[in-house]
PDB file of all heavy atoms in Angstrom:
ATOM      1  N   ALA A  10     146.724   9.993  -1.832  1.00 93.00           N
ATOM      2  CA  ALA A  10     145.772   9.547  -0.830  1.00 93.00           C
ATOM      3  C   ALA A  10     144.566   8.937  -1.579  1.00 93.00           C
ATOM      4  O   ALA A  10     144.356   9.195  -2.761  1.00 93.00           O
ATOM      5  CB  ALA A  10     145.307  10.709   0.003  1.00 93.00           C
ATOM      6  N   LEU A  23     142.520  25.063 -14.941  1.00 98.00           N
ATOM      7  CA  LEU A  23     143.224  23.781 -14.678  1.00 98.00           C
ATOM      8  C   LEU A  23     144.545  23.820 -15.403  1.00 98.00           C
ATOM      9  O   LEU A  23     144.903  22.959 -16.233  1.00 98.00           O
ATOM     10  CB  LEU A  23     142.394  22.598 -15.151  1.00 98.00           C
ATOM     11  CG  LEU A  23     142.939  21.207 -15.124  1.00 98.00           C
ATOM     12  CD1 LEU A  23     143.303  20.753 -13.711  1.00 98.00           C
ATOM     13  CD2 LEU A  23     141.940  20.220 -15.756  1.00 98.00           C
ATOM     14  N   GLY A  56     140.208  27.065 -23.590  1.00 94.00           N
ATOM     15  CA  GLY A  56     141.141  26.036 -24.110  1.00 94.00           C
ATOM     16  C   GLY A  56     141.324  24.932 -23.059  1.00 94.00           C
ATOM     17  O   GLY A  56     140.755  25.009 -21.996  1.00 94.00           O
ATOM     18  N   ASP A  80     169.425  16.359  -9.775  1.00 92.00           N
ATOM     19  CA  ASP A  80     169.642  15.038  -9.169  1.00 92.00           C
ATOM     20  C   ASP A  80     168.821  14.747  -7.953  1.00 92.00           C
ATOM     21  O   ASP A  80     168.950  13.678  -7.359  1.00 92.00           O
ATOM     22  CB  ASP A  80     171.136  14.953  -8.807  1.00 92.00           C
ATOM     23  CG  ASP A  80     172.020  14.929 -10.036  1.00 92.00           C
ATOM     24  OD1 ASP A  80     171.549  14.334 -11.058  1.00 92.00           O
ATOM     25  OD2 ASP A  80     173.118  15.595 -10.028  1.00 92.00           O
ATOM     26  N   PRO A 162     134.901  35.955 -14.104  1.00 98.00           N
ATOM     27  CA  PRO A 162     133.978  36.832 -13.290  1.00 98.00           C
ATOM     28  C   PRO A 162     132.506  36.481 -13.589  1.00 98.00           C
ATOM     29  O   PRO A 162     131.701  36.427 -12.654  1.00 98.00           O
ATOM     30  CB  PRO A 162     134.299  38.254 -13.867  1.00 98.00           C
ATOM     31  CG  PRO A 162     135.720  38.139 -14.367  1.00 98.00           C
ATOM     32  CD  PRO A 162     135.816  36.735 -14.925  1.00 98.00           C
ATOM     33  N   ALA A 168     127.024  31.883 -10.318  1.00 98.00           N
ATOM     34  CA  ALA A 168     127.006  30.939  -9.192  1.00 98.00           C
ATOM     35  C   ALA A 168     126.584  31.619  -7.884  1.00 98.00           C
ATOM     36  O   ALA A 168     125.737  31.109  -7.123  1.00 98.00           O
ATOM     37  CB  ALA A 168     128.354  30.233  -9.053  1.00 98.00           C
ATOM     38  N   ASN A 191     145.346  40.604  -5.243  1.00 98.00           N
ATOM     39  CA  ASN A 191     144.585  39.801  -6.215  1.00 98.00           C
ATOM     40  C   ASN A 191     143.203  39.474  -5.692  1.00 98.00           C
ATOM     41  O   ASN A 191     142.187  39.429  -6.506  1.00 98.00           O
ATOM     42  CB  ASN A 191     145.345  38.452  -6.524  1.00 98.00           C
ATOM     43  CG  ASN A 191     145.718  37.679  -5.305  1.00 98.00           C
ATOM     44  OD1 ASN A 191     145.340  37.994  -4.159  1.00 98.00           O
ATOM     45  ND2 ASN A 191     146.506  36.655  -5.493  1.00 98.00           N
ATOM     46  N   GLU A 242     162.426   8.394 -17.729  1.00 95.00           N
ATOM     47  CA  GLU A 242     163.639   7.762 -17.228  1.00 95.00           C
ATOM     48  C   GLU A 242     163.375   7.380 -15.759  1.00 95.00           C
ATOM     49  O   GLU A 242     163.989   6.425 -15.228  1.00 95.00           O
ATOM     50  CB  GLU A 242     164.845   8.706 -17.278  1.00 95.00           C
ATOM     51  CG  GLU A 242     165.442   8.886 -18.672  1.00 95.00           C
ATOM     52  CD  GLU A 242     166.385  10.106 -18.705  1.00 95.00           C
ATOM     53  OE1 GLU A 242     166.801  10.568 -17.631  1.00 95.00           O
ATOM     54  OE2 GLU A 242     166.575  10.651 -19.825  1.00 95.00           O
ATOM     55  N   VAL A 251     153.294  17.366 -14.429  1.00 98.00           N
ATOM     56  CA  VAL A 251     153.923  18.697 -14.407  1.00 98.00           C
ATOM     57  C   VAL A 251     155.226  18.640 -13.626  1.00 98.00           C
ATOM     58  O   VAL A 251     155.384  17.811 -12.709  1.00 98.00           O
ATOM     59  CB  VAL A 251     153.005  19.809 -13.807  1.00 98.00           C
ATOM     60  CG1 VAL A 251     151.920  20.209 -14.807  1.00 98.00           C
ATOM     61  CG2 VAL A 251     152.379  19.335 -12.513  1.00 98.00           C
ATOM     62  N   LEU A 267     133.345  30.310   5.532  1.00 98.00           N
ATOM     63  CA  LEU A 267     132.714  28.960   5.494  1.00 98.00           C
ATOM     64  C   LEU A 267     133.747  27.903   5.826  1.00 98.00           C
ATOM     65  O   LEU A 267     133.521  26.714   5.632  1.00 98.00           O
ATOM     66  CB  LEU A 267     132.142  28.702   4.082  1.00 98.00           C
ATOM     67  CG  LEU A 267     130.753  29.281   3.764  1.00 98.00           C
ATOM     68  CD1 LEU A 267     130.184  28.653   2.503  1.00 98.00           C
ATOM     69  CD2 LEU A 267     129.797  29.139   4.895  1.00 98.00           C
ATOM     70  N   ALA A 274     150.068  23.162   8.558  1.00 95.00           N
ATOM     71  CA  ALA A 274     151.108  22.157   8.729  1.00 95.00           C
ATOM     72  C   ALA A 274     151.807  21.781   7.431  1.00 95.00           C
ATOM     73  O   ALA A 274     152.900  21.277   7.369  1.00 95.00           O
ATOM     74  CB  ALA A 274     150.501  20.897   9.374  1.00 95.00           C
ATOM     75  N   TYR A 303     162.620  39.701 -21.540  1.00 98.00           N
ATOM     76  CA  TYR A 303     162.662  40.591 -22.708  1.00 98.00           C
ATOM     77  C   TYR A 303     164.123  40.810 -23.183  1.00 98.00           C
ATOM     78  O   TYR A 303     164.365  40.710 -24.370  1.00 98.00           O
ATOM     79  CB  TYR A 303     161.942  41.919 -22.409  1.00 98.00           C
ATOM     80  CG  TYR A 303     160.514  41.692 -22.066  1.00 98.00           C
ATOM     81  CD1 TYR A 303     159.977  42.046 -20.811  1.00 98.00           C
ATOM     82  CD2 TYR A 303     159.658  41.026 -22.980  1.00 98.00           C
ATOM     83  CE1 TYR A 303     158.694  41.755 -20.503  1.00 98.00           C
ATOM     84  CE2 TYR A 303     158.330  40.755 -22.638  1.00 98.00           C
ATOM     85  CZ  TYR A 303     157.869  41.126 -21.422  1.00 98.00           C
ATOM     86  OH  TYR A 303     156.516  40.824 -21.074  1.00 98.00           O
ATOM     87  N   ILE A 310     168.175  34.068 -26.372  1.00 98.00           N
ATOM     88  CA  ILE A 310     168.423  33.181 -25.215  1.00 98.00           C
ATOM     89  C   ILE A 310     167.180  32.426 -24.898  1.00 98.00           C
ATOM     90  O   ILE A 310     166.054  33.010 -24.975  1.00 98.00           O
ATOM     91  CB  ILE A 310     168.967  33.950 -23.973  1.00 98.00           C
ATOM     92  CG1 ILE A 310     170.237  34.697 -24.320  1.00 98.00           C
ATOM     93  CG2 ILE A 310     169.122  33.013 -22.766  1.00 98.00           C
ATOM     94  CD1 ILE A 310     170.688  35.632 -23.152  1.00 98.00           C
ATOM     95  N   TYR A 329     168.902  45.629 -10.013  1.00 98.00           N
ATOM     96  CA  TYR A 329     167.485  45.979 -10.108  1.00 98.00           C
ATOM     97  C   TYR A 329     166.825  45.643  -8.776  1.00 98.00           C
ATOM     98  O   TYR A 329     166.055  46.468  -8.258  1.00 98.00           O
ATOM     99  CB  TYR A 329     166.801  45.161 -11.270  1.00 98.00           C
ATOM    100  CG  TYR A 329     165.311  45.111 -11.110  1.00 98.00           C
ATOM    101  CD1 TYR A 329     164.552  46.239 -11.350  1.00 98.00           C
ATOM    102  CD2 TYR A 329     164.682  43.966 -10.595  1.00 98.00           C
ATOM    103  CE1 TYR A 329     163.162  46.237 -11.137  1.00 98.00           C
ATOM    104  CE2 TYR A 329     163.353  43.962 -10.400  1.00 98.00           C
ATOM    105  CZ  TYR A 329     162.604  45.062 -10.656  1.00 98.00           C
ATOM    106  OH  TYR A 329     161.249  45.040 -10.406  1.00 98.00           O
ATOM    107  N   ALA A 335     163.687  46.710  -4.029  1.00 98.00           N
ATOM    108  CA  ALA A 335     163.678  46.597  -2.541  1.00 98.00           C
ATOM    109  C   ALA A 335     163.363  47.941  -1.846  1.00 98.00           C
ATOM    110  O   ALA A 335     162.563  47.943  -0.914  1.00 98.00           O
ATOM    111  CB  ALA A 335     165.034  45.984  -2.061  1.00 98.00           C
ATOM    112  N   ALA A 339     157.643  47.915   1.835  1.00 97.00           N
ATOM    113  CA  ALA A 339     157.458  48.144   3.283  1.00 97.00           C
ATOM    114  C   ALA A 339     157.228  46.800   3.937  1.00 97.00           C
ATOM    115  O   ALA A 339     156.117  46.346   4.048  1.00 97.00           O
ATOM    116  CB  ALA A 339     156.235  49.097   3.475  1.00 97.00           C
ATOM    117  N   GLN A 352     168.456  34.266  -2.652  1.00 98.00           N
ATOM    118  CA  GLN A 352     167.666  33.019  -2.808  1.00 98.00           C
ATOM    119  C   GLN A 352     166.994  33.005  -4.205  1.00 98.00           C
ATOM    120  O   GLN A 352     166.976  31.960  -4.841  1.00 98.00           O
ATOM    121  CB  GLN A 352     166.594  32.991  -1.693  1.00 98.00           C
ATOM    122  CG  GLN A 352     165.775  31.732  -1.735  1.00 98.00           C
ATOM    123  CD  GLN A 352     164.436  31.882  -1.041  1.00 98.00           C
ATOM    124  OE1 GLN A 352     163.620  32.787  -1.369  1.00 98.00           O
ATOM    125  NE2 GLN A 352     164.090  31.043  -0.077  1.00 98.00           N
ATOM    126  N   TYR A 355     169.511  32.036  -6.738  1.00 98.00           N
ATOM    127  CA  TYR A 355     169.782  30.627  -6.594  1.00 98.00           C
ATOM    128  C   TYR A 355     168.621  29.803  -7.279  1.00 98.00           C
ATOM    129  O   TYR A 355     168.880  28.834  -7.987  1.00 98.00           O
ATOM    130  CB  TYR A 355     169.901  30.220  -5.098  1.00 98.00           C
ATOM    131  CG  TYR A 355     170.043  28.766  -4.813  1.00 98.00           C
ATOM    132  CD1 TYR A 355     171.281  28.139  -4.982  1.00 98.00           C
ATOM    133  CD2 TYR A 355     168.955  27.995  -4.430  1.00 98.00           C
ATOM    134  CE1 TYR A 355     171.411  26.771  -4.796  1.00 98.00           C
ATOM    135  CE2 TYR A 355     169.081  26.622  -4.220  1.00 98.00           C
ATOM    136  CZ  TYR A 355     170.314  26.028  -4.383  1.00 98.00           C
ATOM    137  OH  TYR A 355     170.441  24.654  -4.168  1.00 98.00           O
ATOM    138  N   ASN A 359     168.367  27.000 -11.033  1.00 96.00           N
ATOM    139  CA  ASN A 359     167.984  25.589 -10.856  1.00 96.00           C
ATOM    140  C   ASN A 359     168.122  24.901 -12.258  1.00 96.00           C
ATOM    141  O   ASN A 359     167.384  25.162 -13.212  1.00 96.00           O
ATOM    142  CB  ASN A 359     166.566  25.477 -10.399  1.00 96.00           C
ATOM    143  CG  ASN A 359     166.145  24.068 -10.077  1.00 96.00           C
ATOM    144  OD1 ASN A 359     166.624  23.085 -10.747  1.00 96.00           O
ATOM    145  ND2 ASN A 359     165.219  23.839  -9.170  1.00 96.00           N
ATOM    146  N   GLY A 373     152.822  40.864 -21.381  1.00 98.00           N
ATOM    147  CA  GLY A 373     153.525  41.925 -20.768  1.00 98.00           C
ATOM    148  C   GLY A 373     152.587  43.094 -20.338  1.00 98.00           C
ATOM    149  O   GLY A 373     152.750  43.660 -19.263  1.00 98.00           O
ATOM    150  N   GLY A 392     163.043  60.614  -5.754  1.00 97.00           N
ATOM    151  CA  GLY A 392     164.201  61.290  -6.246  1.00 97.00           C
ATOM    152  C   GLY A 392     165.352  60.381  -6.685  1.00 97.00           C
ATOM    153  O   GLY A 392     166.466  60.816  -6.981  1.00 97.00           O
ATOM    154  N   PRO A 456     149.750  57.179 -15.849  1.00 95.00           N
ATOM    155  CA  PRO A 456     150.054  58.523 -16.448  1.00 95.00           C
ATOM    156  C   PRO A 456     151.144  59.288 -15.690  1.00 95.00           C
ATOM    157  O   PRO A 456     151.988  59.951 -16.306  1.00 95.00           O
ATOM    158  CB  PRO A 456     148.707  59.234 -16.394  1.00 95.00           C
ATOM    159  CG  PRO A 456     147.695  58.105 -16.420  1.00 95.00           C
ATOM    160  CD  PRO A 456     148.367  56.904 -15.671  1.00 95.00           C
ATOM    161  N   GLU A 463     162.303  62.387 -17.353  1.00 98.00           N
ATOM    162  CA  GLU A 463     163.532  61.624 -17.177  1.00 98.00           C
ATOM    163  C   GLU A 463     163.359  60.147 -17.425  1.00 98.00           C
ATOM    164  O   GLU A 463     164.257  59.412 -17.860  1.00 98.00           O
ATOM    165  CB  GLU A 463     164.115  61.875 -15.781  1.00 98.00           C
ATOM    166  CG  GLU A 463     163.455  61.182 -14.609  1.00 98.00           C
ATOM    167  CD  GLU A 463     162.259  61.966 -14.028  1.00 98.00           C
ATOM    168  OE1 GLU A 463     161.557  62.612 -14.821  1.00 98.00           O
ATOM    169  OE2 GLU A 463     162.004  61.839 -12.802  1.00 98.00           O
TER     170      GLU A 463
END
Side-chain angles (χ1 to χ4, degrees):
L23 176 61
D80 294 324
N191 53 10
E242 284 164 20
V251 282
L267 281 193
Y303 300 119
I310 298 173
Y329 161 74
Q352 183 202 53
Y355 175 78
N359 185 330
E463 76 273 32

